[in-house]
Amino acid sequence: MSDDRAKYGILVGVDGSPESEAAIRWATTEAIMRDQPLTLMHAIPPVVVSWPVAYLEASFADSQAASAREVIEKAQKTVQASAGESQPPPLRTEMRHTDAPSALVVGSRDAYMTVVGSRGMGPLGRALLGSVSSGLVHHGHGPIAIIRAEESQAPDAASPVLLGIDGSPASEEATSLAFDEASRRGVGLVALHAWSDVGVLPVLGMDWHKYEDEGHEVLAERLAGWQERYPDVHVERRIVCDQPARWLVDESQQAQLVVVGSHGRGGFSGMLLGSVSSKVAQAAKVPVIVVRHR
């Protein structure tokens, strides 16, 4: 993306929650690593009253504004603290009088990357994203980073970047970003491909080796150009037969970042990254970047 389109640089949604604080810390590091400006955006929901008492409405609006300023000030302090000895990224703040999902979905159109905290966690298929993160995963533009506030130790900085790839044009942008992230972080890349997006049972006469060979061909074709462009990135290839979301979540335990596309071909011939990306963002305990097409 050209810089003139990314007027927000790294855009991060802030609301004062632990998840928001985790998102700010991660976004600050990302902005410094990419030499991008950082924008803190806070949404102030519209005041809704069911009976006409003007002074109550005005008082509530004043309270909202004061709370918003506190959230922004706290976020600014987090940026400064997260930068450590590095020069903090150029910083701007913005408040929007609308609901948070709408504000960030619209803002993502003009951001290099949009970063938000995740809400809730649990086993694969039962975890719930918050309304903001879920809205961005399904309707945002460009790379959407979902950051979870975990009490456990942060991922090892030497751990690889994990990429979910299905051979479709939708995953090409994710592949580009994953290689770039791995190169900037000085780590390897694990490229995982599943030739089916559904659970399958052995079928009499099915040539499993054929599907495995096709999977290796897909990875070789999709990775060749990028490996030439990023010779510093060591690539490890993984082929699995089904349920890519489960495999990605399992593999994410040994990764520091997961990158997936927003949708794929679907059906028996490839990963359905629309549902896969959502499930991985729900269940993975490391940062997940869902790359949505602009």
Side-chain angles (χ1 to χ4, degrees):
M1 183 202 307
S2 60
D3 290 340
D4 60 335
R5 287 189 58 189
K7 71 175 184 179
Y8 288 131
I10 306 293
L11 173 64
V12 54
V14 301
D15 62 7
S17 67
E19 289 81 6
S20 171
E21 290 294 294
I24 295 167
R25 291 191 293 270
W26 190 89
T28 300
T29 301
E30 188 78 5
I32 293 172
M33 182 177 70
R34 293 186 169 278
D35 194 25
Q36 286 277 342
L38 184 65
T39 300
L40 306 174
M41 181 177 287
H42 178 69
I44 304 175
V47 178
V48 179
V49 294
S50 58
W51 43 292
V53 182
Y55 74 91
L56 285 180
E57 181 176 346
S59 176
F60 186 68
D62 289 342
S63 176
Q64 280 187 311
S67 176
R69 287 192 294 271
E70 290 179 2
V71 167
I72 291 294
E73 289 173 3
K74 179 182 179 183
Q76 289 174 316
K77 292 178 180 178
T78 300
V79 171
Q80 296 296 325
S82 300
E85 297 181 358
S86 301
Q87 178 68 28
L91 185 63
R92 63 179 290 183
T93 63
E94 185 168 319
M95 298 184 192
R96 291 198 175 185
H97 290 268
T98 184
D99 62 280
S102 297
L104 289 166
V105 166
V106 172
S108 68
R109 296 172 181 167
D110 298 310
Y112 178 87
M113 180 183 296
T114 305
V115 185
V116 292
S118 172
R119 298 296 183 95
M121 67 181 196
L124 182 63
R126 291 188 291 164
L128 295 176
L129 291 176
S131 60
V132 176
S133 52
S134 180
L136 278 167
V137 166
H138 291 96
H139 305 291
H141 307 268
I144 307 297
I146 308 298
I147 314 301
R148 192 180 302 284
E150 287 289 333
E151 297 180 358
S152 58
Q153 186 176 358
D156 188 340
S159 298
V161 171
L162 174 62
L163 167 67
I165 185 169
D166 68 349
S168 73
S171 67
E172 190 69 9
E173 292 176 77
T175 303
S176 172
L177 181 61
F179 268 93
D180 190 56
E181 288 282 345
S183 179
R184 290 176 184 272
R185 295 164 186 265
V187 299
L189 177 72
V190 176
L192 186 147
H193 170 73
W195 55 262
S196 170
D197 65 340
V198 296
V200 294
L201 295 174
V203 177
L204 186 63
M206 178 176 285
D207 188 347
W208 296 95
H209 294 294
K210 173 186 175 182
Y211 288 108
E212 184 178 8
D213 290 344
E214 289 178 352
H216 283 291
E217 289 178 7
V218 167
L219 278 182
E221 292 173 0
R222 292 296 175 176
L223 296 176
W226 294 109
Q227 287 185 283
E228 294 175 3
R229 184 172 179 179
Y230 293 94
D232 59 313
V233 177
H234 172 74
V235 179
E236 182 177 347
R237 305 177 185 183
R238 301 281 179 84
I239 302 293
V240 296
C241 68
D242 62 358
Q243 298 182 346
R246 179 176 65 83
W247 285 103
L248 284 167
V249 171
D250 287 347
E251 290 289 338
S252 72
Q253 297 178 42
Q254 285 77 47
Q256 63 171 288
L257 174 68
V258 182
V259 182
V260 292
S262 59
H263 61 85
R265 292 171 298 174
F268 193 71
S269 60
M271 294 162 59
L272 181 59
L273 280 181
S275 61
V276 170
S277 59
S278 180
K279 290 178 180 178
V280 174
Q282 289 170 9
K285 293 184 179 181
V286 298
V288 175
I289 300 179
V290 178
V291 183
R292 289 189 54 82
H293 185 65
R294 294 184 184 276

